[in-house]
Structures are given as C-alpha cells and as structure tokens.
Amino acid sequence: MKNHTACETCQLNPISDLKQWGTNLGNSTYTIALAGNPNTGKSSIFNALTGLKQHTGNWPGKTVTRAEGSYSHKGDKFKIIDLPGTYSLLSTSEDEEVARDFILFGQPDVTVIVVDASRLLRNFSLVLQILEISNKAVLCLNLMDEARRHRIAIDVRTLSKDLGIPVIATSARTKEGLSDLLAAIHQVADGSFLPTKTTSFQLTKQTGTAVATIAKDLHALDTKLTPINWLVMRLIEDDKHIIDALQKGQLSSAIDRENLTPILHRATAYQFKLGNNYRNELVEAIYAKASKLVKDHVSTDSSSYSFRLDRSIDHIVTH
C-alpha cells in the first residue's frame, strides 16, 4: 500500500478542495455521522475535516457529549456529527442509544465508520451492526501508520467489495488518505457511488427463522420499511425505544399501535422460545463474520499482531 503522506500534507497541494467551516453549520447540503469505537482517532478525523478541536455540547436531554462542525468540498457543504464512541449498538447504555438513534432516526446522508486498522477484529463488530441499519456508509481504516508499524497489511479493495461500501485507509495525524476520504463521502452522499446491500452476518437456522417470520409480518404492513431485519432483532429483544417509535409511526406511517400488537406478541413468543440463546447466537454470528473479514482481508508477518488479535477477542467476548 502506498504512503501518500508527503504529497497530501504538502502546502502546495491542498487536500482535495477542502474548506473547513468550523461551527458554521448553516445551509449544509449533506449531514454526515461519524461513528466508531473509542480510541480509533475519530476525533482526529473530525478535527481534520472541520478545523475544530472538538467543539462540544450535549445531546438534548442527555449527559452525552455532542460535537458537530462543518466543511465544504467541491461546492457542497457538509455538516458532520461526531457520535459518542461505542463498541456496540446492542445494549441500552446512553452512549449506544444516542449513536444508534441518530443513525436510525436522524437518517444521515453518510455514516463514516472510523476503525483502528491495527485492531480490526474488535472494530468490525460495530461496523457490521451499523451496516444492518444503513449501508450509506464509508469505512475509514484509521491509524494506518500504527498498522504498518505492526506489519499489518489490509487488502482495501477486496474488503470494500465484500462490504459493499467504500473503504479508505487513513492516518488522521498525518493527513494521509484524507483526500480519498473526502471523495468517498461526497460520492456516497450525492449518489454517484451506490452501496451494495450485502448480508452483514449470518444468523443460525433457529434465530434466522424467527427474524424472517416477523420480518415478513412487518413487510406486509409496509413494503418500504427499513432496516427491517435489524428492527425485528430489536423487537425480539423487547427494545422499548424501538417499539415506541414503531407504535408512534416514527419509522412508518403505515404502522401504528393497533396493527403492531399481534407482531409484538409473536416477537415475545420467540423471545421466550429462544431465551438466552438468542443474544448469544447473535453475538456469535457477528463475531464469526468479523473473524472471516479479518482472515480474508488482513495479513501480517509480525508476531505482535497475534497479541493484538487475542486482546481484541477478549474485548468482544467481554462486551
């Protein structure tokens, strides 16, 4: 993989028509969500694009910090929302709820998922969960300088093909890859790049049957409802926030409390039938897909990666 750091940081070569607008958020053409695990350099990406040093406030009604800024690129203005760093969207912590709700209800034009390129197994769990909600996304493999230090090589092109979204290698500290990142965000936002819908992870037969059955029921109420499989997975876990949103018609005007009730009864029946196996199988399915992505697209000749891989496995299992 080529290192473009020298040319991209050269004062004679501005980064692909980037103009940093800081906190000037007015008249934005597109809204970008910035998601990722903690400690992936997400704030550095935010700062590099907006020219800010994390201008923060709080999300309405929450104690969670909210950071937003803007930039323009090739004539279009982008508002960028830095979501709370989180490892998962499956539980109900305040951070995870804020990140999940913005991707689902805020419907950003693009979600940029920032990952640590040297710890991909740990990071892919969140990537796969986000792609279940929206594939209007760009995967930003940040900290590539750290990955190279550990002699980790990533086949960016085949990973992009596998996920169905643009994958860009960056190092925000040195501005490596930022021009490519800007271009990818723009192409997904304006529709010149059409993400390919792929299966994020494969559920077991029992869990897959439950999800498919309830998805069919929801689909009968609204054929355009999305992301239908992810919504079903949340219904089976009795996610009160998602249930409330569906009952109030926030995700579909064709769905209300009355016609959703029998579907909720079936979801509850599956919840009792599957028991604790449901969550375990879901986590295992995500982990299996994450492991396959690493196996297929990451190579190294460094023993230090084995240590980092083990640490990533421990982290996924315990979270």
Side-chain angles (χ1 to χ4, degrees):
M1 185 178 296
K2 295 181 180 179
N3 186 342
H4 299 288
T5 304
C7 66
E8 290 189 342
T9 56
C10 175
Q11 294 297 316
L12 300 178
N13 187 17
I15 299 177
S16 193
D17 196 30
L18 169 67
K19 185 172 183 180
Q20 299 166 323
W21 285 96
T23 57
N24 183 347
L25 305 177
N27 301 317
S28 298
T29 312
Y30 302 109
T31 298
I32 311 302
L34 198 60
N37 290 182
N39 304 314
T40 57
K42 188 162 61 72
S43 296
S44 296
I45 293 288
F46 175 87
N47 294 339
L49 295 179
T50 64
L52 294 170
K53 292 187 177 179
Q54 279 293 31
H55 178 84
T56 61
N58 282 347
W59 290 84
K62 305 286 185 180
T63 59
V64 179
T65 300
R66 177 187 179 105
E68 55 186 279
S70 67
Y71 69 90
S72 61
H73 179 251
K74 297 189 181 300
D76 286 321
K77 192 171 182 181
F78 296 76
K79 178 170 71 173
I80 184 164
I81 310 295
D82 189 4
L83 302 179
T86 178
Y87 294 104
S88 172
L89 302 180
L90 293 177
S91 66
T92 55
S93 73
E94 197 172 45
D95 283 2
E96 292 176 358
E97 197 172 88
V98 164
R100 180 195 72 184
D101 286 357
F102 188 80
I103 297 170
L104 180 62
F105 299 110
Q107 297 183 331
D109 297 290
V110 186
T111 299
V112 178
I113 313 168
V114 183
V115 302
D116 180 346
S118 69
R119 299 180 186 271
L120 285 182
L121 183 58
R122 171 189 295 186
N123 286 241
F124 273 149
S125 174
L126 180 65
V127 173
L128 295 173
Q129 291 173 56
I130 290 175
L131 292 182
E132 276 293 310
I133 300 176
S134 174
N135 66 342
K136 294 182 65 176
V138 174
L139 179 60
C140 174
L141 302 176
N142 196 34
L143 301 174
M144 282 301 300
D145 50 342
E146 184 73 8
R148 283 191 293 268
R149 189 168 70 84
H150 290 277
R151 301 179 186 177
I152 298 167
I154 303 167
D155 190 333
V156 174
R157 181 170 296 183
T158 61
L159 179 58
S160 175
K161 184 178 180 180
D162 200 345
L163 292 175
I165 61 172
V167 177
I168 308 297
T170 69
S171 179
R173 288 174 294 195
T174 60
K175 295 184 171 57
E176 173 190 347
L178 285 185
S179 59
D180 292 335
L181 180 61
L182 286 162
I185 293 171
H186 208 151
Q187 288 165 5
V188 173
D190 68 14
S192 56
F193 181 98
L194 296 176
T196 304
K197 180 60 179 176
T198 60
T199 302
S200 294
F201 45 86
Q202 190 68 44
L203 298 172
T204 63
K205 183 177 180 180
Q206 186 179 30
T207 302
T209 298
V211 171
T213 300
I214 299 175
K216 184 178 179 180
D217 293 338
L218 279 177
H219 192 260
L221 296 180
D222 184 352
T223 58
K224 296 182 179 179
L225 178 66
T226 59
I228 196 160
N229 282 355
W230 185 84
L231 290 172
V232 170
M233 286 187 275
R234 302 313 304 151
L235 293 183
I236 292 175
E237 289 215 66
D238 196 31
D239 187 319
K240 302 298 185 186
H241 194 62
I242 297 302
I243 291 171
D244 186 60
L246 284 167
Q247 289 174 332
K248 291 180 178 178
Q250 293 177 346
L251 293 169
S252 168
S253 59
I255 298 175
D256 55 31
R257 184 178 298 273
E258 182 177 355
N259 59 22
L260 185 65
T261 297
I263 296 176
L264 293 179
H265 289 328
R266 281 190 284 276
T268 300
Y270 274 119
Q271 182 185 28
F272 282 111
K273 181 179 180 180
L274 297 171
N276 291 333
N277 289 336
Y278 173 75
R279 170 55 75 95
N280 293 337
E281 289 180 2
L282 182 58
V283 171
E284 288 172 6
I286 294 171
Y287 175 71
K289 178 64 174 182
S291 298
K292 188 176 187 305
L293 288 170
V294 170
K295 180 181 178 181
D296 291 349
H297 305 294
V298 179
S299 59
T300 179
D301 59 359
S302 170
S303 60
S304 65
Y305 186 64
S306 296
F307 171 73
R308 297 172 75 78
L309 186 60
D310 290 340
R311 291 288 296 276
S312 295
I313 292 172
D314 289 343
H315 191 86
I316 288 177
V317 171
T318 56
H319 284 73

